[in-house]
Amino acid sequence: MYGFEVEGGFTFYKVRDFDGTLSLSDDHLKWFWEIMKNGRQIPVIFYDGSVDRPEDFIELAKMTDQHMFLGFKDQKPSGMFWLNGFSSRSCYAHFSIMPDFYGKQAEQMGSGVVRHLLSVTDASGLYIFDCIKALIPVKNPLACRMAVKSGFNKIGIMPQAAYWAADDQSVDAAIFCAVRNNGYARQACR
């Protein structure tokens, strides 16, 4: 089972291990779903409307082109993230903090996960990611602020780049980028 710890006592576990076996159970996923549902987070986290039932969430977590991690602190669900849209040394990241962990703990988780992702190397010692991207609807200013506090730089606004299912409309989205090398790579993203 692949897992890692970040400052503040948070441990993240990969739902589906690198060999394809499930490391966490459907019950773990249902546990997270219930917390997100009770916190009324579902329509905000899955703003495009593609995930609105626990079965959809479980299916998303098990897709081979998605890499989902569930975070725990003191054996309590604290946050989650998943990666997709992989290209040469970059990917898109999607984050969610469980309601009991907003504030300073959310910042610890976010920045810890970003640092971890940008420091992971493969078997030959090469960094896996040089750039982590995030696309966040501007209708979610809390998530936009959280991205910056986690180590992302706001690159710009893409008009009508995200579908907001609750309003059945495309909305503006901010594109964020976190880079391992803050020199050339940051400039190239601008």
Side-chain angles (χ1 to χ4, degrees):
M1 171 188 302
Y2 179 76
F4 64 93
E5 293 182 18
V6 300
E7 181 182 345
F10 301 97
T11 303
F12 286 84
Y13 298 101
K14 194 168 187 305
V15 171
R16 186 180 34 77
D17 219 337
F18 295 105
D19 66 1
T21 60
L22 291 176
S23 299
L24 297 172
S25 69
D26 287 1
D27 287 338
H28 287 105
L29 293 165
K30 289 175 186 172
W31 189 15
F32 273 75
W33 176 267
E34 286 301 315
I35 292 170
M36 291 184 293
K37 184 179 102 178
N38 291 340
R40 298 186 176 148
Q41 293 178 300
I42 302 300
V44 176
I45 297 168
F46 305 105
Y47 57 82
D48 66 354
S50 62
V51 175
D52 61 1
R53 303 173 308 135
E55 296 82 11
D56 300 330
F57 179 58
I58 292 169
E59 183 179 331
L60 172 71
K62 292 180 179 181
M63 294 175 73
T64 58
D65 63 343
Q66 310 288 318
H67 295 269
M68 186 173 284
F69 293 77
L70 302 182
F72 298 87
K73 181 176 182 175
D74 300 326
Q75 300 180 356
K76 183 177 179 182
S78 58
M80 69 176 196
F81 71 94
W82 69 99
L83 307 174
N84 61 17
F86 296 91
S87 61
S88 181
R89 301 207 190 288
S90 73
C91 69
Y92 279 90
H94 312 271
F95 291 87
S96 175
I97 304 298
M98 299 302 110
D100 289 347
F101 293 90
Y102 290 161
K104 177 126 177 88
Q105 292 183 94
E107 293 175 30
Q108 286 180 313
M109 275 189 280
S111 61
V113 165
V114 170
R115 276 194 307 272
H116 174 77
L117 292 173
L118 292 172
S119 67
V120 175
T121 58
D122 63 15
S124 65
L126 295 174
Y127 288 103
I128 293 175
F129 299 116
D130 285 322
C131 179
I132 308 293
K133 301 168 279 192
L135 185 69
I136 302 172
V138 296
K139 287 183 69 133
N140 190 346
L142 179 64
C144 290
R145 286 192 305 273
M146 185 63 206
V148 172
K149 289 179 180 183
S150 296
F152 286 88
N153 292 301
K154 183 177 175 183
I155 305 306
I157 303 290
M158 297 173 60
Q160 299 180 322
Y163 177 70
W164 194 270
D167 296 336
D168 189 27
Q169 68 176 352
S170 293
V171 298
D172 294 351
I175 184 78
F176 293 87
C177 187
V179 295
R180 184 177 55 79
N181 174 347
N182 288 330
Y184 174 76
R186 179 181 288 164
Q187 294 170 6
C189 288
R190 290 186 180 191

